[in-house]
Amino acid sequence: MCLRHPHKKIVAFITICCALLLIAEISPVHAAERPRVLTIALFASGIGLKFASVFLENSAQDSYDQYLSTAIQDDIAQHRDDYTSKHDLSVAMSRTGIGLVGLAMLISVFDELNLISRSSSAQSARLRLNPGYNPRTRETTLMFQRQF
């Protein structure tokens, strides 16, 4: 995968981070509670669209290179139109893929919030890790809690 622009590197980094977060989210404990088929399907299709857009953009770049090296007027118009259509489709696929991955992440986060809010009193006796942040002192804390 050839990344020619810095914003593509950022998008690739965010996509990888989202993938790792979703993989961490789908733990065996949560998988036994209820199916997460929609989240997984949205995530997989989003990643698939993103990778397909990269291959389509490479094909568009090949059309553009042929456009630059062609001297026949009819071939120039054909290669230019081919490049334009492939590039536009690649951009649309990429943005749709990012949107689907983002939607999968939102659904996953809201599922977790619902899971936390429905926790029973038996679960509250377990050990919990609570993150905290103090904006005045700019300190980040992690607190282990256990109720007796």
Side-chain angles (χ1 to χ4, degrees), residues 18 24 28 45 94-95:
C18 289
S45 60
S94 176
R95 290 177 181 169

Side-chain angles (χ1 to χ4, degrees), residues 47-60:
I47 293 295
L49 281 172
K50 185 63 184 159
F51 280 117
S53 74
V54 170
F55 292 119
L56 193 58
E57 183 63 32
N58 287 339
S59 176

Side-chain angles (χ1 to χ4, degrees), residues 40-116:
I40 295 169
L42 284 173
F43 180 75
S45 60
I47 293 295
L49 281 172
K50 185 63 184 159
F51 280 117
S53 74
V54 170
F55 292 119
L56 193 58
E57 183 63 32
N58 287 339
S59 176
Q61 188 63 40
D62 291 341
S63 295
Y64 185 74
D65 293 342
Q66 289 175 355
Y67 161 75
L68 292 177
S69 64
T70 301
I72 302 170
Q73 195 66 21
D74 290 336
D75 290 342
I76 289 174
Q78 179 188 5
H79 290 305
R80 184 183 63 231
D81 292 341
D82 190 36
Y83 166 76
T84 303
S85 65
K86 285 181 181 179
H87 176 73
D88 291 345
L89 184 59
S90 171
V91 169
M93 288 174 67
S94 176
R95 290 177 181 169
T96 303
I98 291 171
L100 289 177
V101 168
L103 182 61
M105 295 306 298
L106 282 175
I107 291 172
S108 179
V109 166
F110 284 126
D111 282 348
E112 264 314 295
L113 291 175
N114 286 337
L115 181 68
I116 290 170

